[in-house]
Amino acid sequence: MVDYYNVLGLKANASKDDIKKAYRKMALKYHPDKNKTPEAEKKFKEVAEAYAILSDDEKKKYYDVHGCSPDSDEARANMNAFGGMQSGRRFTKTWSSGGIDPNEIFRQFFGGGDPFQQNEFFQQPQKKQNSVQQQIAKVSLEELFQGSHKKFKIKSRIFKNSNETIVDEKILQFDIKAGWKDGTKITFDNSGDQIHPSVPRNDIQFVIQTVKHPFFERDGDDVIYKATISLKKALCGGVLEFEHLDGTTKKLPLRGITTHNTKRILQNEGMPISKSRRNERGNLIIIFNVEFPEELSDEHKNVLQSLLP
């Protein structure tokens, strides 16, 4: 005897909704037009038979008691032996000469007509795996610091008719929010190439990539500035002056002795935190590189020797 619950991957206490969901999943999985494996057709028929019995309240009740379909040979043998069904109900025969018609059950379940046109499952796969065309959107660190507006000219090949393609040219534009990070994606639906006249156009997806900056580096929400100063400034002090990413000039007093790789941290002067509701920023971290002279005259050496301990 066939265990219909097991065929649908269900327990004996499964609800009507569970039975419907299980049939939908299994029927779509094993439909011979989509599944070309040798066992698919047999499995498709078993799933249909299980659903035909378990979705009918009285047939399900009979199956739960007797362990077989009321339309089966076992049931007919019981009826002959006991003079018919005690319930008095005649079950409508749903069997073709080869058993339950799985295609008819499939069409009825998915609304009739051509199942490949009527149900959502067979329309969605038209969105093929390679339906997203990624393009790198190179942006400067200044643009990510302040926010900006970008425009890209896109040329896509689409079908004019079933046999002829044309080139479609359009401008795609979007705003970059201050603080966005590398890898941020912006998607434009149905804006790319069309690989077949019967399917939608691909999506275009831009991926943010930061162009290397000559002076600044990004570390999460922090910004690192590598400042090179002379030995004189390192020893005697002075002012470090540089242009920040927002175009403003920063002046940082140097007091005392600044050693090589000394770090100075300016809080809330780094990258904007894009998800912050309080306009928070990371830190600006300044790392000093002390530049030593390549050579010293004897006079300078004598002066330094007299000054240094």
Side-chain angles (χ1 to χ4, degrees):
M1 294 184 183
V2 180
D3 186 341
Y4 292 137
Y5 290 104
N6 186 57
V7 169
L8 294 178
L10 297 170
K11 295 182 179 179
N13 60 351
S15 65
K16 276 192 172 184
D17 191 48
D18 292 334
I19 294 168
K20 286 183 178 180
K21 288 180 180 178
Y23 171 73
R24 176 184 177 84
K25 177 181 177 182
M26 301 289 281
L28 295 176
K29 179 179 180 181
Y30 291 107
H31 195 289
D33 288 345
K34 289 294 176 181
N35 190 328
K36 302 301 183 182
T37 59
E39 68 275 8
E41 185 174 355
K42 178 182 177 182
K43 190 71 175 177
F44 183 65
K45 290 179 180 179
E46 291 177 352
V47 168
E49 181 180 340
Y51 175 73
I53 302 305
L54 297 182
S55 63
D56 184 297
D57 289 341
E58 293 197 44
K59 290 183 180 183
K60 179 178 182 297
K61 183 177 180 180
Y62 183 91
Y63 172 75
D64 288 341
V65 173
H66 300 282
C68 63
S69 162
D71 295 321
S72 65
D73 293 336
E74 292 93 334
R76 283 190 283 273
N78 289 336
M79 284 192 291
N80 292 333
F82 295 100
M85 298 292 292
Q86 292 182 357
S87 66
R89 181 192 182 225
R90 284 185 174 273
F91 291 98
T92 302
K93 190 174 182 180
T94 57
W95 296 69
S96 63
S97 59
I100 290 176
D101 184 351
N103 292 313
E104 180 61 27
I105 291 175
F106 187 85
R107 283 191 288 269
Q108 289 179 4
F109 184 90
F110 290 104
D114 184 350
F116 295 95
Q117 298 296 327
Q118 295 296 326
N119 76 82
E120 179 183 357
F121 174 81
F122 291 111
Q123 294 175 7
Q124 289 303 319
Q126 303 298 334
K127 194 82 167 175
K128 298 186 182 297
Q129 288 184 348
N130 294 331
S131 60
V132 176
Q133 296 173 218
Q134 284 195 342
Q135 297 208 13
I136 299 300
K138 294 187 177 182
V139 297
S140 67
L141 197 54
E142 285 87 351
E143 289 176 309
L144 291 173
F145 187 88
Q146 302 180 74
S148 63
H149 184 77
K150 301 293 286 186
K151 294 182 180 181
F152 294 89
K153 181 183 289 187
I154 299 297
K155 292 183 178 180
S156 304
R157 186 164 293 278
I158 62 174
F159 279 84
K160 181 179 180 181
N161 52 50
S162 59
N163 298 312
E164 184 181 1
T165 61
I166 60 173
V167 175
D168 177 54
E169 185 175 303
K170 62 171 60 177
I171 301 294
L172 299 180
Q173 49 188 321
F174 56 90
D175 291 321
I176 291 179
K177 187 176 180 181
W180 273 3
K181 297 179 180 179
D182 276 2
T184 300
K185 297 180 176 65
I186 308 95
T187 303
F188 292 86
D189 294 337
N190 301 321
S191 298
D193 294 329
Q194 187 180 23
I195 61 176
H196 191 274
S198 65
V199 301
R201 296 172 62 170
N202 292 341
D203 297 341
I204 294 287
Q205 187 176 78
F206 292 97
V207 182
I208 297 298
Q209 184 180 94
T210 309
V211 177
K212 186 176 180 180
H213 197 282
F215 306 112
F216 293 93
E217 293 180 9
R218 183 174 184 173
D219 183 12
D221 295 320
D222 295 334
V223 175
I224 298 172
Y225 176 67
K226 294 184 177 180
T228 299
I229 60 174
S230 65
L231 179 61
K232 179 180 178 180
K233 279 190 176 180
L235 296 174
C236 304
V239 176
L240 173 66
E241 187 172 317
F242 63 95
E243 185 177 305
H244 200 8
L245 291 169
D246 59 3
T248 62
T249 299
K250 294 292 182 183
K251 295 182 179 182
L252 182 67
L254 302 178
R255 299 184 179 91
I257 295 176
T258 302
T259 58
H260 188 68
N261 283 334
T262 294
K263 292 183 180 180
R264 293 276 296 272
I265 298 177
L266 303 183
Q267 294 185 344
N268 207 40
E269 293 281 353
M271 295 296 295
I273 301 175
S274 59
K275 296 182 180 180
S276 172
R277 297 182 179 180
R278 296 181 294 175
N279 297 322
E280 294 177 304
R281 292 178 178 269
N283 297 325
L284 172 60
I285 302 172
I286 302 173
I287 302 177
F288 289 91
N289 171 49
V290 179
E291 189 175 50
F292 284 77
E294 294 183 359
E295 58 181 356
L296 288 173
S297 65
D298 292 337
E299 181 182 355
H300 287 156
K301 289 179 181 178
N302 292 331
V303 171
L304 287 174
Q305 287 176 350
S306 65
L307 294 176
L308 297 175

